[in-house]
Amino acid sequence: GQYDPTGQVRYPIAAANPAKAGSYAVGVYAPDHRSVKVYTSDDFGATWKMAAPRPIPPSILFTTVKQAAVGYTGDGKVLVTWRAWRNTAAHNSFVAMLDGDAFGPTVKVTPTLSIDPPSSFDTWYNGDFLNWVTGNKTDAFVAFVYAPGGQNEDTWLARVPLTLLKG
């Protein structure tokens, strides 16, 4: 009941902490599809805490949030990435980091609005559904599909210094 199982990613995305056994994160989007949430456990899933990234900057227009995914930095901080869709064919991708009990800034990783090219609507093409995020002790790495100007949809990789994601 804490997430909406409709949409392109119909199940929560989970990650295991490489720095601490029994420490997990699950990323979901809220039932209204306007924000994402991250649930974390440090006791093998016996108890869970929830945290939400800071809002998307108000200057960035969007209607829905989808494709939430989580990962960890090498020293155990939780990373979350997601897409904010302006309409059914255009989106921006974001990343944020949970450090302790609160998220730092929400950072946009798409240089400009990504616009799905016409080929992505062909019946044989079922779309790209996930973003991926991982990190080391200095950077977050976000893989996302990007089509600047509606041309040449491709997978991009953003390197975001963790200093930009800290509170």
Side-chain angles (χ1 to χ4, degrees):
Q2 296 298 310
Y3 75 99
D4 182 347
T6 62
Q8 292 155 317
V9 178
R10 295 170 180 87
Y11 43 85
I13 303 300
N17 185 343
K20 182 181 178 191
S23 181
Y24 310 109
V26 179
V28 300
Y29 40 84
D32 66 0
H33 284 268
R34 299 284 299 162
S35 62
V36 296
K37 302 181 209 179
V38 175
Y39 291 87
T40 58
S41 176
D42 288 326
D43 56 9
F44 293 87
T47 61
W48 293 86
K49 293 190 288 186
M50 189 277 292
R54 294 181 187 173
I56 291 170
S59 61
I60 299 172
L61 302 175
F62 73 98
T63 58
T64 60
V65 169
K66 300 177 183 176
Q67 285 105 336
V70 291
Y72 280 90
T73 64
D75 56 357
K77 292 180 178 62
V78 177
L79 298 166
V80 63
T81 186
W82 67 97
R83 293 185 197 176
W85 290 84
R86 181 171 293 178
N87 56 46
T88 58
H91 70 274
N92 283 295
S93 292
F94 296 87
V95 66
M97 182 174 69
L98 182 63
D99 190 4
D101 290 331
F103 275 94
T106 292
V107 174
K108 183 171 76 88
V109 295
T110 41
T112 62
L113 188 67
S114 180
I115 301 169
D116 292 346
S119 64
S120 66
F121 299 105
D122 290 344
T123 57
W124 59 266
Y125 180 83
N126 208 9
D128 55 276
F129 299 137
L130 294 178
N131 291 340
W132 297 98
V133 63
T134 192
N136 58 26
K137 292 182 180 182
T138 60
D139 299 291
F141 301 95
V142 184
F144 57 97
V145 172
Y146 184 54
Q151 302 294 316
N152 304 321
E153 185 174 55
D154 205 354
T155 301
W156 282 46
L157 179 68
R159 180 184 60 82
V160 181
L162 297 183
T163 55
L164 295 178
L165 300 174
K166 291 186 178 181

